[in-house]
Amino acid sequence: MVLVITKCLECPFLRREGNERLCVIATPPMRPILAEENDRPMWCKLRKEQIIVRDFK
Ligand code: SF4
């Protein structure tokens, strides 16, 4: 199943730093992405990009 995200507010990759909203996908220093985020989108409609998250366990 391809989970498409259309709003940053619904996206598990959105991080809040004070008043700033940061996209983890677009901001490499904000990584790694936390393991408990199981329902990960595979396509960001806003960025028009596929999101591939690799788990190196
Ligand atoms: S991946 Fe897309 S929807 Fe999610 S925070 Fe980044 S820009 Fe917003």
Side-chain angles (χ1 to χ4, degrees), residues 3-55:
L3 184 60
V4 178
I5 198 86
T6 56
K7 293 179 188 162
C8 288
L9 289 177
E10 299 169 351
C11 181
F13 300 132
L14 180 70
R15 291 275 182 280
R16 292 175 192 274
E17 297 268 315
N19 289 334
E20 264 191 300
R21 295 190 303 181
L22 299 167
C23 171
V24 173
I25 301 301
T27 317
M30 298 297 292
R31 301 172 194 170
I33 294 164
L34 300 177
E36 63 264 22
E37 292 165 356
N38 294 324
D39 215 13
R40 294 169 170 162
M42 298 188 69
W43 181 262
C44 170
K45 210 167 183 177
L46 305 178
R47 299 181 60 80
K48 296 182 173 54
E49 284 182 8
Q50 184 181 13
I51 301 168
I52 300 170
V53 179
R54 293 191 177 93
D55 287 316

